[in-house]
Amino acid sequence: MGSGITPEKEWWTAAEIAEAKLPGLPGTVQNVNAFAERSGWRKVPGAIKRKPGRGGGWSYHWSVLPAAARQKLVMQAAETPAQPERPDRATAWVAYEKLSQKNKDEAARRLDVLAKVELLHSSGTVHVQAVGFIADEYKISPRTIYNWLGLIEGIPAADHLAYLAPQPPKKRTKTEDRGKFRMFMDWLKSAFLRMEGPTFAQSYRDAVRVASHRGWEFPILKTAKRWMDAEVPRTTQVYKREGPRGLIRCFPAQIRDKSALHALEAVNADCHKFDVFVRWPDGKVRRPQMIAFQDLYSGKFLSWRVDCDPNKIMVMAAFGEMVDSWGIPKRCLFDNGHEFANKWMTGGSPTRFRFKVREDDAHGVLTLLGINLTWAQPASGQSKPIERAFGGHANDIAKDVRFAGAYVGNRPDAKPENYGSHAVPLHEFIEVLEERIEEHNARTGRRTDTAAGRSFDETFAESYATANVLKATEEQRNLWLMGQDTGKLHKNNGSLKFLGNVYHCDWMSQDAGRKVVIRFDPENLHSGVHIYTHDGAHLGFAECQQKIGFFSHEDARVTAKRKRDIVKKEKELAELYAPHTPKQLGADLNGISKETNALMEAKVVKAVFPKTPKVSNFRDHSDPSAEAAQDALILQIGDGRKKSEPSPKQEAFKVAATADDRFAQAQEIERRQQNGDPVGEREAGWLKGYQTHSEYEALAALKQAFGGNNAG
């Protein structure tokens, strides 16, 4: 045959030829054998071979069959679709690796069976008998062994294991069966893959309602869930339901090696809010917050500070304690909170993205000390090793037996039964906290790579003894012992007005109008300030000349926070009283179609005269809320020129418009009181309130120091 097509089956036994009913050949085994004998098939070289297996016999090559029989076999081969070829060795081994251990063990058992058959046959036993003996030993059918032999026929011995492995059955579910459910599945996916995170059962019920209304076919719940998981990857489901943060949790965190560092080469810092109620010196009960610096190499806590709210002052104090005690680190890993990104610490850093950045910003402490700054990824506790220490250590502190009744729980729904029954005094909390931190550093058996069973103290001490650590000079200590800000000297006299105080020294008159950097003690603004250039050069010291501002920068911060809280609460209260938005009100009015009748114009209009506003007299200063009223009155006094003309009843007493005139007016009333001259009730009330105001106190201090009625 010139076509080159060969039949699928090339070797035939007499029984197979008889059963095939090929043209030109007998239909019984006996007659086929007789036909082969007459045709001399056994004499053709390479056309005959012994049949393997029980019973023996002969197999004949298809080429010795009559022409009609060969033609039919070729035609059947051309019409029969090609069977899938045996997989190559690479594919076979990949499939083997994906099998379960049970199937891999079965492949090894099959290989052992065939190895024993081959060993028995090579020792002289007939192949059929060898197969029978081994089949009896393993209690399997001889036909099974022959099937296994067929699996590895022509395969190298090294690959027998992969080809003998049982293959798992194919799945019965066909992809094309899901086509009629496509509309339902699309709706179900859209309902389930939402950030609100509904349950699959809820989404399925809603999808069934829509499908029933629109006539869609839908599978049962378990089938729909299986299809959902098969069609939508798990990571895609997490991303659609939990967002980017949820997707990141699907992948392991990066593991960093700290063994290449040494003690104090790098530190990290963060803030932690303790789950315990503490009573502060002002009598209020709040949860304390701690700023802590931790050595990255050893894990030891190097310094810490506690306050009611995280702020830049406690960060500077903790940083200064660390540098004073141990030295200057080369690197700092900071959280991106405002308390760390303040300009005192990180001003001038190229990667600081907090607060407004100005060209004349002063360089912060880290920039001036040459410390490399790294910001941790926002909302990622894995980026800061100190978070791991807070996780266990802070929990031990909050649940200390000496804080019984003060523990508040780590979640709003995890409050203990004795919640709020006790508040720990601040000094007791500080004592226990210091004791616990020392115990945390000294505890042995640490399993980090650098500690290797030792304590954090021992790990740090061993590396610190041989590390090249730079100590701070006395001049460098001023960098963190003081806060900093920028300012400009007066254009005429060179004085500096800062936080309500005026600072001046003789040398400042020579630098009038210059932009400078101010370094000050946040707790005592009246102690004076140090003046620097923007590149860090020290110009000199300036004394406080006018002490009329807040005495503590921390008090100023607390006061500002209290005012913000008042505005916030008032805003919430206002929304309760006005639940409808202007847009809703307008829509209601637009929905009214009733026509309104023309109004009759009134001929006589009754005059309405404004009542004289009552002015507070500062008699309620003992009430903490009176400060706002006091400030409002001063603003009202200073803006007198914008008010309408007073009524005749108000002409008897009028408050002056400027600060100097008000002070002179107060002195005049005081003089009349001392001389026994008549003083009006409104004048006396105004004077009593004005004498407690900072404006009066400042002008009185100026008069006592320099004489005259003003600072001139």
Side-chain angles (χ1 to χ4, degrees), residues 157-227:
D159 298 328
H160 284 179
L161 181 65
Y163 284 89
L164 286 173
Q167 298 300 319
K170 296 182 179 180
K171 296 181 180 180
R172 296 180 180 179
T173 304
K174 298 181 181 179
T175 306
E176 55 269 14
D177 293 342
R178 305 178 189 178
K180 58 184 178 181
F181 304 110
R182 181 53 50 198
M183 299 293 292
F184 174 83
M185 291 301 300
D186 289 344
W187 202 100
L188 177 61
K189 292 175 185 177
S190 301
F192 179 68
L193 301 176
R194 293 184 291 121
M195 289 293 182
E196 291 76 13
T199 63
F200 187 83
Q202 174 188 351
S203 303
Y204 177 81
R205 290 193 299 268
D206 293 341
V208 169
R209 291 175 55 194
V210 175
S212 301
H213 178 71
R214 298 185 179 181
W216 297 342
E217 295 189 42
F218 54 88
I220 62 175
L221 187 144
K222 289 185 177 180
T223 301
K225 184 66 170 67
R226 187 175 68 253
W227 289 356

Side-chain angles (χ1 to χ4, degrees), residues 297-298 445-456 458-459 462:
Y297 171 77
S298 62
R446 299 294 187 177
R447 294 176 292 181
T448 63
D449 295 338
T450 54
R454 300 173 297 174
S455 67
F456 292 155
E458 294 171 340
T459 306
E462 180 188 31

Side-chain angles (χ1 to χ4, degrees), residues 19 101 104 185 288 387 411 514 574 647:
E19 184 180 359
Q101 187 60 42
K104 291 179 180 178
M185 291 301 300
E387 289 280 6
R411 298 190 314 276
R514 184 173 187 174
S647 64

